Amino acid sequence: MAKLSMRFEIRKDKLNQEGKAPISCMISVSQKRKRISVEKSLHPVNWDNSTQRAIHISKTQHSKLKLGLKHTDLLMGSDVDQINSLLDKMQSRLNFIETRFRLNDQLYTVDDIYNTYLAECPSTGIKSTENQIQKPPTVPEFIDTYIERNRASRAKRSLCVYSQLKNHLVAYEEWSRSKVEFESIGLSFFEEFQSFLIEERTTINNNTIAKQLSTLKTLLNYARKHGIEMNQSYRDFTIKRQKLEVITLTEREFKLLKEADLKGVRRHIKARDIFIFLCATSMRYSDYAQFKREHIKGNTIRLTMKKGNKPWEIPLNPESIAILEKYQDMAEPLPKISNQKLSKYIREVCEVAKINEPIEIIRYRGSEPIVNIYPKHQLISSHTGRKTFCTLSLERGASVETVMKWSGHESYASFKRYVNLSRSHSISEMERIWGKTELMKVV
């Protein structure tokens, strides 16, 4: 389905006697365009083409520009705010009109958007008669629109979270016998919805609940920016997150993995090679899946990360080069295995390597702790490779800034979730900084 695009601009070809240009909004659908007058005008110097908004010119700026106009002829700060507020409302209203067409599965043209806007918003106002303004969608209905709009730009896995949220909201509607509407989804709703997830959706724990609540907040912010009016007290709701365990391989375990006798089992050998490569490059599975020979540039790998579409470059090292050389006769730089199978095979390899330290995992459902103990090999996945890279790089002496550059992390807050410095490293660093200690004698 075609999408609405819009651009605010000033008509320099329509200057009035005072030298002011009228503002208009150019809307387009499938390369067909219509112009909507905003019924506001200003001097061109008060307009910024890049932001498509009015700007204030200070007295200092005015004197430098030598415009041939008095400063009092230009917009005051309050005038700028008023105009920009009007443009924001107009943009939100147009987006909302498009959303209604999408929710009703209606094909639409630029004329449909244009005529609907003029019918609902004559001049700069909005008619308030109930028979002219359709009721906004419920929150579960709007999720379908969000998924459709973002299908091309978001990873499938990230959109699955929104589908899960819709399922929970629909279940809540059945349980509460009331629709989840934007105007009623404030702070009190979040508190009740959280209680519903804890008490009625008993298969999910607090971390999953926190993720669902965070996703709902993101959705509401998106809807608000697209013109849907709502109770904004939801923004005061605080989401509590449990700090999760960081599972990585230690130096000893990494050595055990590399030296394990896999008895010639090909799926295990390939999976180990891929996992070692991930441990040596910090690569995510999504980037391994798109990794091609053309991404190898001399002694570095350069590609655009799937997550965030960010450029990424990392130097190769002996571990990663050895794996690439092993498969140099293949068209692809590495064998390709699905993420699910790779994680499964790596767990099997780690079990062979006797990576079986008991790990206690504590999750909460409401205030009730759920405690489980697993051998470490059961907790390994393909993503453990990236976390192992970050941890071992730090333990081997690289600075935090360098490791973040290698891994592509932009904030320390997200980076620290990938690091699990070992107890032995902590002890050796204390001895290196403060000196080696004798065993304390018990008196």
Side-chain angles (χ1 to χ4, degrees):
M1 185 179 286
K3 287 189 177 182
L4 169 71
S5 63
M6 70 186 81
R7 179 174 179 80
F8 292 97
E9 57 188 26
I10 57 172
R11 301 289 304 274
K12 292 183 180 180
D13 59 329
K14 300 284 185 180
L15 296 178
N16 63 18
Q17 292 181 346
E18 298 175 347
K20 293 182 177 181
I23 306 172
S24 64
C25 178
M26 185 66 75
I27 63 173
S28 65
V29 177
S30 298
Q31 300 182 340
K32 302 292 184 181
R33 300 190 298 173
K34 280 281 188 179
R35 187 184 297 277
I36 303 175
S37 173
V38 180
E39 298 188 359
K40 291 287 183 180
S41 59
L42 43 68
H43 288 286
V45 71
N46 280 125
W47 184 257
D48 184 350
N49 284 323
S50 61
T51 62
Q52 303 173 45
R53 291 296 186 270
I55 56 173
H56 179 250
I57 301 297
S58 67
K59 287 186 177 180
T60 304
Q61 290 171 314
H62 174 261
S63 60
K64 290 180 180 179
L65 292 172
K66 299 179 181 179
L67 299 170
L69 294 166
K70 295 180 181 179
H71 186 253
T72 52
D73 293 333
L74 303 180
L75 295 178
M76 302 295 288
S78 58
D79 299 324
V80 169
D81 292 341
Q82 184 182 30
I83 289 174
N84 289 341
S85 176
L86 176 63
L87 300 184
D88 289 342
K89 289 179 180 178
M90 186 174 182
Q91 182 172 357
S92 294
R93 195 67 197 175
L94 286 164
N95 280 324
F96 180 44
I97 290 169
E98 183 197 24
T99 296
R100 289 207 310 256
F101 280 110
R102 287 180 173 274
L103 285 172
N104 293 325
D105 290 326
Q106 289 179 263
L107 295 175
Y108 56 88
T109 66
V110 70
D111 288 321
D112 295 324
I113 301 288
Y114 177 81
N115 292 330
T116 304
Y117 179 83
L118 292 186
E120 295 182 359
C121 311
S123 300
T124 56
I126 298 175
K127 288 185 179 178
S128 59
T129 53
E130 293 183 4
N131 62 342
Q132 287 176 316
I133 299 180
Q134 299 179 32
K135 192 174 182 180
T138 65
V139 178
E141 289 169 345
F142 186 78
I143 290 176
D144 291 332
T145 299
Y146 179 88
I147 292 173
E148 179 62 30
R149 280 187 174 183
N150 292 276
R151 196 179 300 281
S153 59
R154 298 282 299 275
K156 186 176 181 180
R157 282 180 61 190
S158 66
L159 290 179
C160 283
V161 180
Y162 288 87
S163 297
Q164 293 163 5
L165 173 62
K166 180 183 177 181
N167 291 337
H168 291 310
L169 289 171
V170 169
Y172 173 84
E173 288 181 332
E174 294 174 355
W175 175 79
S176 64
R177 298 182 181 178
S178 61
K179 294 292 184 181
V180 179
E181 298 176 330
F182 283 99
E183 62 184 16
S184 61
I185 199 167
L187 176 61
S188 296
F189 168 83
F190 264 80
E191 292 171 345
E192 186 169 308
F193 184 51
Q194 179 177 249
S195 297
F196 164 78
L197 293 174
I198 293 170
E199 296 170 6
E200 303 296 327
R201 310 294 271 183
T202 55
T203 59
I204 60 177
N205 59 42
N206 286 13
N207 291 322
T208 304
I209 291 171
K211 178 64 176 176
Q212 291 294 306
L213 295 173
S214 175
T215 301
L216 179 55
K217 270 196 165 185
T218 301
L219 180 81
L220 294 178
N221 291 336
Y222 177 89
R224 181 171 51 83
K225 291 175 183 177
H226 284 75
I228 294 183
E229 297 181 1
M230 64 185 68
N231 180 347
Q232 295 194 34
S233 66
Y234 76 87
R235 301 167 81 174
D236 296 326
F237 182 79
T238 302
I239 298 172
K240 297 177 182 178
R241 289 181 172 85
Q242 178 188 352
K243 187 177 179 181
L244 300 180
E245 303 83 2
V246 181
I247 305 299
T248 70
L249 299 187
T250 64
E251 283 282 7
R252 173 183 164 276
E253 290 168 338
F254 188 50
K255 187 170 184 291
L256 286 173
L257 175 77
K258 291 193 295 181
E259 295 177 353
D261 182 3
L262 302 182
K263 310 291 186 184
V265 179
R266 292 185 63 187
R267 70 177 186 277
H268 286 168
I269 293 170
K270 288 181 179 179
R272 176 171 64 181
D273 289 342
I274 295 166
F275 186 70
I276 289 173
F277 188 81
L278 301 182
C279 290
T281 61
S282 82
M283 199 177 272
R284 295 183 180 90
Y285 178 87
S286 58
D287 295 320
Y288 147 77
Q290 67 163 339
F291 182 39
K292 307 278 186 195
R293 291 211 174 272
E294 52 263 34
H295 293 135
I296 303 171
K297 309 291 184 182
N299 286 328
T300 66
I301 296 172
R302 270 184 276 167
L303 52 76
T304 299
M305 286 182 165
K306 279 279 189 182
K307 185 174 182 179
N309 293 318
K310 298 179 295 186
W312 173 69
E313 180 176 14
I314 188 167
L316 293 167
N317 54 42
E319 296 278 10
S320 54
I321 288 174
I323 300 297
L324 290 175
E325 288 179 343
K326 182 173 180 178
Y327 296 98
Q328 61 184 333
D329 294 331
M330 290 175 48
E332 300 277 3
L334 294 171
K336 288 293 189 279
I337 305 176
S338 71
N339 195 6
Q340 186 178 13
K341 286 185 177 180
L342 178 59
S343 294
K344 178 178 183 292
Y345 298 159
I346 284 301
R347 286 192 284 272
E348 292 171 357
V349 169
C350 288
E351 184 175 14
V352 171
K354 300 190 184 312
I355 298 173
N356 50 18
E357 175 194 357
I359 303 291
E360 183 180 69
I361 301 294
I362 302 175
R363 296 290 180 266
Y364 287 84
R365 185 179 297 126
S367 59
E368 178 188 352
I370 303 167
V371 181
N372 288 292
I373 297 176
Y374 302 92
K376 190 171 184 177
H377 61 79
Q378 289 186 10
L379 304 176
I380 304 296
S381 70
S382 62
H383 203 56
T384 308
R386 181 168 165 80
K387 296 177 181 180
T388 296
F389 171 87
C390 295
T391 298
L392 295 189
S393 294
L394 289 175
E395 291 191 350
R396 292 176 180 185
S399 67
V400 170
E401 293 80 6
T402 300
V403 180
M404 286 177 63
K405 180 175 176 59
W406 286 340
S407 64
H409 284 97
E410 293 183 340
S411 71
Y412 181 71
S414 60
F415 173 74
K416 69 181 181 180
R417 298 199 301 266
Y418 282 71
V419 176
N420 180 23
L421 298 178
S422 68
R423 178 175 175 274
S424 60
H425 176 76
S426 174
I427 294 171
S428 63
E429 281 296 282
M430 179 66 77
E431 292 178 346
R432 183 178 69 83
I433 301 299
W434 289 92
K436 195 164 184 177
T437 58
E438 299 294 332
L439 271 176
M440 190 165 48
K441 294 179 181 177
V442 179
V443 179

